[in-house]
Amino acid sequence: MNTNKILSIFAAAALVLGMTGCTAKFAEISKDQHNAHLDDMLQDDLLLGSMFQQLERSVIVYSDGKYLDSDYQIMYNLCAETWCGYMAPTLSDGKNSGFLVTDGWHRRMFTVKYEYGMAAYTQLAKFASENGMDGQLALGKIVKVATMHQVTDYYGPIAYSQTGSVSGNLYDSQEEVYKAFFTELDEAVEVLAPLANAGTKLMEDYDIVYGGDVAKWVRFANSLRLRLAMRISYADATLARAEAEKATSNSFGLITDNTDNAVVSGVSHHPIYEINVNFNDADCQVNATLDCYLNGYNDPRAFLYTKKAADGKLHGVRTGIAPSDWTPYKNTAAKVSAPNAESYKICWLNAAEVAFLRAEGAVRGWNMGGTAKDFYNQGITLSFEEWGASGVANYIANSTAKPASFTDAVGTNNTSAPSTVTIAWNDGGDEEEKLEKIGTQKWLALFPNSAEAWAEYRRLHYPKILKPVKNFNSDVNDDQQIRRVPYPVSEQSDNPDGYASGVAALGGADNAGTRLWWDKKPF
Amino acid sequence: MSYQLKRVFALAISAFAGLLVCVGASAQSKTVTGTIMDDQGEPLIGASVTVEGNATVGTITDLDGNYSLSVPASATSLRFSFIGMEDAVEEIGGRSVINVTLTAGSLALNATVVTAMGIKKEEKSLSYNVQQAKLDNVSPVGSFVNGLNGKVAGVSITQSSTGVGGASRIVMRGSKSISNNNNALYVIDGIPMQSQAGTQPTGGYEGAGQTGDILGTLNQEDIESISVLSGPSAAALYGSAAANGVIIITTKKGQKDTFEINYSNNTTFTQAYIMPKFQNTYGQSEEMSYYSWGKKLDTPSSYNPRNFFRTGLNEVNSLSLSTGTERSQTYVSASYAFANGIIHNNDVNRLNIAVRNTTDIVKDILTMDINASYGRVFEQNMTAQGEYGNPIVPVYLFPAGGDWEKVQIYERYNASRNIKTQWWPGGWTEHSMQNPYWITEHQKWQNTKNRLMASAQLSYKPFKWLTVSARGKFDRTDGVAEQKFDAGTNTLFTEGSKHGKYSNNTDYNEQRFAEVMATVNKYFGDNIVSVAGVVGANIDDVRYHRDYVYGGLRSVNNLFSLNNIDRASGKTKLESSGWHSQTQSVFANAQVGFKSMVYLDVTGRMDWSSTLYKTGIFYPTVGLSGIVTEIIPGMKSKIFPYWKVRVSYSEVGNSPEASLFLTDSVYDVVDGLPGTTASVLNQNLVPERTKSFEAGTNIHLFDSKLQIDATYYKSSTFNQFYNPRISSTSESSSYWVNGGQVDNRGVEAAIRFNDNIGKFNYGIFGTYTWNANKIVSLEFPDEDGNIIKRERIPMGGFGGLNTFLYEGGTLGDIYVTTLAKDGDYLKQDSKGMIVADLSEDNMIYAGTTDATHRMSLGGHVGYAGLTLSFLITARLGGIVISKTQAIMDYYGISQDTADARDRGFIEINGMKITDIQGYYQTITASNGVMSQYVYSADNVRLQEIALGYDFPMKQWGVKFIKGLNLSVVGNNLFMIYSKAPFDPEMTSNIGTYNQGVDYFMQPSTRSLGFSVKVKF
């Protein structure tokens, strides 16, 4: 055996052994080079800012890179937006407009809000708490309430005080959830008030609603409190009044000007535009109920909300039509009105809504800082201003126009007018008449904020909404219409204890006919 | 076989051959020496030499085939023998040097197979099942492993529905992993390859623009042989990734002392074969409606969806040159292939160039093997399934009585735009339909891949018993996948732009591999005990990077450039992703043989993987095999020459995909803003572990004319690495866990009979595969270590059907929506119509999409160069689901709906329903009642018939042509039995779930091909 051979064997052996010792670089190798790590997130307020913005984006989802317009379609367009009388789906496999709730659709409000909204809040809250950033935490709380109240308003009891465990989380009753909302708004406003006084801006590079303007956020928090207070007016009148008056009396006030409206900036188009224009040549058209009110009132907002059909008129579409052939309802046929969605904004809460809430509070005898009539007229005026509509004075004074009966431009699903309510305020009217006027005009002014419109329809029973041509859901009473959204089926297996606690707190079957805690107004 | 490898295994063999002789020495003797060679002129190592009539006197040949034996004076003859060779008996006479050439006997017991790491071993020494396969017939493009279908046992091969060029799903011995890849690993010349299969479609929309896998970039003519290691024991040397079995591809080398040019041409024609049944007697619901629920037509519609498909053409031309001297051999090849699918503009073409040189730098001591190849693949419009961009949807659903000629004028001049745009009435857009001709002509998915591969190996053989080799490989594929949708395409697909849409996905996959390995062969105790061992280490480093841009076009029609993308629309996407992974391993294998009768095989491998880098993972394997006919004296006979039994046990792992970044906590950055990730990170993950046991036997009977191989196996895969859905209240959608257990057990068996009578030869073979898959446990720990037990785990669905994993169930189980019930009766609404229950909660079990039994029967007859062969394949067990049929029923275009209308009623559960349209639209609306669309997947087909002729050029005195072969091959010729409305062996994806679900997959094809092979 010569020396060279021996050396070469040892060289080979050394190479073999040498290769095994270099796992030190594995952490670097297995690092994701295309996403942000914690150390990146600690720069430029990125962690707080990006989480806050994600939370904001969850309030009404839109095509933001993470979620799609089709998520909006499932969460709102096929649910609240249909059931509140704004839009009518014209997609082939939809019986949801006849109250048939499909799990694949009705679960999205639940999943998106927790996985997008609450997930962001948890990150924000953890970091803000650890670093004493109370102002940012307070803003997070406000937006969390804004996004999560839609979830409880869809389903009822939800996981709220306890979330985040992979093995499941118990639900709170809706009453507990609402009380938690008020507490969180208290905490937030307390922290933010001094900052607002100092003219502070927080997370201004990231905040897509108010650009970090704390004072505006406090006004939003007060207005949100007023909305939530009104929601529980039939369930807990005492608390409702206390919270409503607290909101009104706060030194920063409420949103009274359209410039303070909570509108999401940087949205290239409202999802309804996409759903109508690009989804199968119209997956939705204007609802027949909207047709009745806008046509009947000869509403100047009519062709700001909708487009003219080929005949130059506004024609809506009934819900609950057996979806075997929607073809004549598509855009190309132009027999019905498409939503005029190019101009829609994603608006969480506007000044008009606040005015109508105050009007209702005044009707209920609460101290809202003014009269019901003034607030009512103010609400209509603010809405006209928001949409750039003219002729508000005549509109407010109109005491004769009534909702029109519905004529189907395509089929034969004609029906009589949903209501006989007129526009002009009548101080001599009874409380229900006043509530109907407020409910009807608020509904018109909320457009297209459907989650709120549907919740308020269920609470107040106004405006009166056309029944679907066919009700496909035997759990749902024709007259009372759909009252809630069933929980995602997956909760039964993935969170069995939580689901059981939710159904127990619901106090009824987990179906679309069960009334929520705040849904107490007698029929 | 390379020289050094031959030495390696020959050494091993030599060590055991001693059993055949009893080493005794005689006092009075003379010495006879000589060399024993095989008929190829290679020395036979370990061949035995005994004195005829006195087997106690003998010896075996050494490493160079030499022997030296002291023979007693009384001896007259010597017997020379070697397993697998015919014995030779030579009279000694006065000779002191006797050289012998042994010829291969019919026993063929010395067959060698390529095992893990490219190591060739004798089949008889293996304790696990290795199947050598030959690809006789060229499959033009795409995944040529389809050609193995029915030829090897234990393997399930499902063909892609993408048309030409698709990847195949290859699952060996059942799916083992809940969420990891279950496809076999491909290894080329000893080095594992990245599969590079693209994203697989599983939903109702996606499926257009697929791409083939890595096999699609190879030239099949460069392949020397394929070995199938179906079990983890065989593959254990590959460590993690071996659990799914391995397909080993060995490529060609230049041959010594030859100069040979091979040219081959293969031309194949394909036709659409299995399609659903359409009705043509009931017309449109109303004019311009896409529904066929109208009146009975006076004359049946002449529209036939089959006419939409063209005859596909595949052509491959290959040229190779093999040349070599004693010391240096070179192989050069070039190949060009093109294929046109059965749908217009579904085209694939491929160019390959390969060069390989093997040189003995220092004769018998230092060998270098270098190899470089380039492959270029272009793929266009490979559509696997789904609604988007799939011309089959409108073709299949087009109403009887509709005017197809109008549809054929698919583009019409739009005066206001001064271009031709799509003609497709507005109401015909349900199910994402567009004019099918518009789709084929104006929506292009084009993929281009350039693959460069270079490898080098240096083998150093300082001693006869030791070889040290080092090899390295660089393998890089650069791909560009583009979508080009012309102006006039439905704006649903163009991000709202009327000018068109463009997307560009540019990626690369780069692998660097290095390995050092020492092979030792030593024998002890007068050759009774032998040790053949391998020890080595390797490093496998893979990087992937991808940049993706898409968006509608801004203003210039059909200008597919990033310059023209409408960024203001808010729908532009800019995305990058990538990963880097590295696995470092050390491994060792030792095979100890005793008297060439019993072999003990032990393997150990340690892996350190960057994807789960917390700890190294050790994988052991142990196997034992014995040749019974040798162990039991006197048992071996001409009728029963060979019986081997073997058992082995192994534990191997399966590491998660590097792209999952399971050890790295990140915030997903989308459009420049970080957000939360959807899955909860788990820092305690370890690789899956498959513990596998197999026992098998190989029996030869009747002079080895009849050979039977059978293996029973059982495997349990623990630490299932999966991602169960969790409650959204956790603020995440899923959670990566280790838990659960999936078992597989089964049998793989093959039987072969070959015989010849003079020039006439014939043979018959059969394979049988049985596999039973069982989910044993689905428990997993939560973040605090508490065990969570889910009744069922949903693995995703596909409108009306879902895969739910239950303990006791299988990974192929499908659950479907069904009809609503009222107690024992079907629920009826106020009009008496049955009611659909579409809730996921009430889904019922439909069956498993896995086959229980797979069988094949093949055979050949040959006479003087002319060979006729056939292959029949059968599958029993399992179900398939046709969503295509459901949608066809919905539109009233299926034959079933016409039959029902002709009959006047539908009978269901004894109930007669006369509202036919109402019935069908009830069971097909909103994803449908899929329980009505479940079919048995049983099928039997004539898979292949081939006729080949080797022209006797030598006999004819033609010198410049050394060989000429002509053959005709028919594939998938005739479906003998099948009840499904589509080919149950087609799949839209190579993943684990949503197998056997048809949603407008392309029809399977039958083909007829001709090939010419000329050797100069």
Side-chain angles (χ1 to χ4, degrees), chain B residues 491-506:
Chain B
T491 54
L492 174 62
F493 309 109
T494 61
E495 303 305 332
S497 166
K498 65 177 185 177
H499 305 290
K501 178 199 165 176
Y502 180 57
S503 83
N504 182 309
N505 186 86
T506 301

Side-chain angles (χ1 to χ4, degrees), chain A residues 326-399:
Chain A
W326 284 107
T327 303
Y329 293 97
K330 299 287 185 185
N331 284 340
T332 316
K335 291 181 181 170
V336 296
S337 294
N340 184 36
E342 287 92 330
S343 62
Y344 296 174
K345 291 188 173 70
I346 291 185
C347 178
W348 303 347
L349 199 155
N350 60 16
E353 180 191 342
V354 172
F356 289 117
L357 287 167
R358 294 172 89 177
E360 183 179 341
V363 169
R364 294 184 185 281
W366 303 346
N367 180 8
M368 292 289 107
T371 66
K373 180 181 181 179
D374 286 350
F375 285 132
Y376 177 79
N377 290 340
Q378 198 184 89
I380 296 172
T381 308
L382 282 163
S383 177
F384 272 58
E385 181 190 294
E386 183 185 350
W387 285 87
S390 53
V392 69
N394 289 339
Y395 186 82
I396 286 172
N398 189 334
S399 58

Side-chain angles (χ1 to χ4, degrees), chain B residues 232-477:
Chain B
S233 298
L237 268 185
Y238 293 110
S240 64
N244 299 328
V246 178
I247 289 184
I248 295 182
I249 296 164
T250 307
T251 61
K252 284 179 182 161
K253 285 181 174 180
Q255 297 296 313
K256 283 181 185 173
D257 299 325
T258 55
F259 181 83
E260 200 174 277
I261 293 173
N262 281 284
Y263 165 76
S264 75
N265 168 283
N266 179 288
T267 306
T268 307
F269 301 93
T270 55
Q271 267 189 333
Y273 185 29
I274 310 284
M275 281 171 62
K277 291 195 172 68
F278 303 90
Q279 65 94 3
N280 62 354
T281 52
Y282 288 91
Q284 289 162 287
S285 295
E286 55 198 73
E287 205 181 338
M288 291 308 282
S289 166
Y290 222 80
Y291 292 81
S292 300
W293 290 109
K295 291 198 173 67
K296 190 139 189 170
L297 298 167
D298 297 334
T299 49
S301 165
S302 61
Y303 172 68
N304 182 356
R306 201 173 277 276
N307 296 339
F308 178 76
F309 300 102
R310 64 178 176 182
T311 298
L313 170 67
N314 296 295
E315 185 166 335
V316 189
N317 282 289
S318 303
L319 192 64
S320 68
L321 180 146
S322 170
T323 180
T325 62
E326 177 68 24
R327 294 278 294 273
S328 176
Q329 303 89 38
T330 303
Y331 174 84
V332 182
S333 76
S335 166
Y336 182 74
F338 70 90
N340 303 327
I342 54 171
I343 295 175
H344 191 237
N345 275 329
N346 168 211
D347 302 315
V348 173
N349 64 56
R350 187 190 70 211
L351 172 72
N352 290 92
I353 297 167
V355 185
R356 184 167 187 181
N357 176 270
T358 317
T359 301
D360 271 10
I361 297 171
V362 180
K363 189 172 183 331
D364 296 346
I365 292 180
L366 190 61
T367 310
M368 183 175 69
D369 183 354
I370 54 174
N371 193 350
S373 66
Y374 167 75
R376 180 187 180 279
V377 178
F378 171 80
E379 304 164 328
Q380 179 168 273
N381 291 6
M382 286 171 50
T383 302
Q385 63 150 24
E387 292 181 3
Y388 287 174
N390 188 348
I392 293 178
V393 183
V395 168
Y396 278 11
L397 300 180
F398 191 72
D403 189 349
W404 188 252
E405 281 176 13
K406 270 188 178 171
V407 174
Q408 286 175 306
I409 310 168
Y410 60 91
E411 54 181 351
R412 300 184 186 192
Y413 184 71
N414 180 329
S416 65
R417 298 191 61 191
N418 195 25
I419 50 166
K420 281 184 173 179
T421 54
Q422 178 177 199
W423 184 83
W424 193 245
W428 294 2
T429 52
E430 273 183 46
H431 293 288
S432 319
M433 284 191 284
Q434 296 187 87
N435 188 309
Y437 294 101
W438 179 271
I439 294 172
T440 61
E441 305 312 304
H442 290 289
Q443 284 186 250
K444 302 282 172 57
W445 282 260
Q446 297 173 334
N447 310 326
T448 308
K449 291 188 237 185
N450 283 286
R451 180 171 190 224
L452 192 65
M453 182 164 61
S455 65
Q457 172 166 337
L458 207 57
S459 297
Y460 175 52
K461 199 166 168 33
F463 312 112
K464 284 180 174 175
W465 52 271
L466 174 69
T467 306
V468 179
S469 61
R471 57 185 165 195
K473 179 178 117 171
F474 176 83
D475 187 350
R476 176 169 166 131
T477 305

Side-chain angles (χ1 to χ4, degrees), chain B residues 129-151:
Chain B
N129 195 18
V130 175
Q131 298 172 82
Q132 196 94 5
K134 240 180 90 188
L135 290 171
D136 304 318
N137 304 311
V138 176
S139 13
V141 290
S143 189
F144 50 77
V145 288
N146 289 331
L148 297 178
N149 201 358
K151 292 169 185 165

Side-chain angles (χ1 to χ4, degrees), chain A residues 1 4-5 8-9 12 15-16 19-20 22-23 26-27 29-32 34-38 41 46-47 50-51 53-54 57 64-66 92-94 103 107 110-111 114-115 118-120 122-123 159 163-169 171 206 268-269 274 277-281 323-327 332 489-495, chain B residues 286 289 291 426-427 429-430 432 460 462-463 466 468 490-492 496 514 516 536-539 541 545 568-571 573 576-578 580-582 584 586 608-611 613 661 663-671 673-676 680 725-733 735 782-783 788 790 829 840-841 890 921 926-927:
Chain A
M1 189 183 290
N4 281 343
K5 284 184 176 178
S8 62
I9 295 165
L15 189 55
V16 170
M19 283 176 66
T20 65
C22 30
T23 58
F26 275 6
I29 286 173
S30 60
K31 189 171 173 179
D32 187 344
H34 296 282
N35 289 302
H37 292 78
L38 185 60
M41 298 295 284
L46 184 56
L47 194 149
S50 61
M51 290 301 120
Q53 192 180 118
Q54 178 175 323
R57 289 174 178 200
D64 68 345
K66 185 84 175 179
S92 62
D93 51 358
D103 183 58
R107 70 194 313 268
F110 196 91
T111 60
Y114 284 106
E115 294 171 23
M118 286 296 273
T122 299
Q123 295 268 343
T163 59
S165 167
V166 303
S167 46
N169 301 279
Y171 291 14
Y206 302 100
S268 61
H269 57 266
E274 195 66 16
V277 174
N278 286 326
F279 287 7
N280 298 312
D281 188 37
S324 56
D325 197 349
W326 284 107
T327 303
T332 316
V489 172
S490 57
E491 280 295 281
Q492 297 176 29
S493 57
D494 301 348
N495 187 14
Chain B
E286 55 198 73
S289 166
Y291 292 81
T429 52
E430 273 183 46
S432 319
Y460 175 52
F463 312 112
L466 174 69
V468 179
N490 184 336
T491 54
L492 174 62
V516 289
N538 65 38
I539 179 165
D541 187 276
H545 181 87
S569 71
K571 292 191 210 168
K573 197 104 195 152
S576 288
S577 60
H580 180 190
S581 76
Q582 194 176 87
Q584 298 174 10
V586 289
W608 291 266
S609 166
S610 65
T611 52
Y613 60 84
F661 292 109
T663 54
D664 191 24
S665 171
V666 295
Y667 295 81
D668 289 344
V669 177
V670 178
D671 288 348
L673 199 77
T676 53
V680 178
R725 183 184 71 192
I726 53 177
S727 168
S728 296
T729 62
S730 69
E731 300 171 8
S732 294
S733 56
Y735 179 51
D782 72 5
E783 66 268 61
I788 298 180
R790 289 279 164 75
D829 66 12
E840 180 188 292
D841 210 29
Y890 177 74
Q921 294 197 335
S926 283
N927 290 324

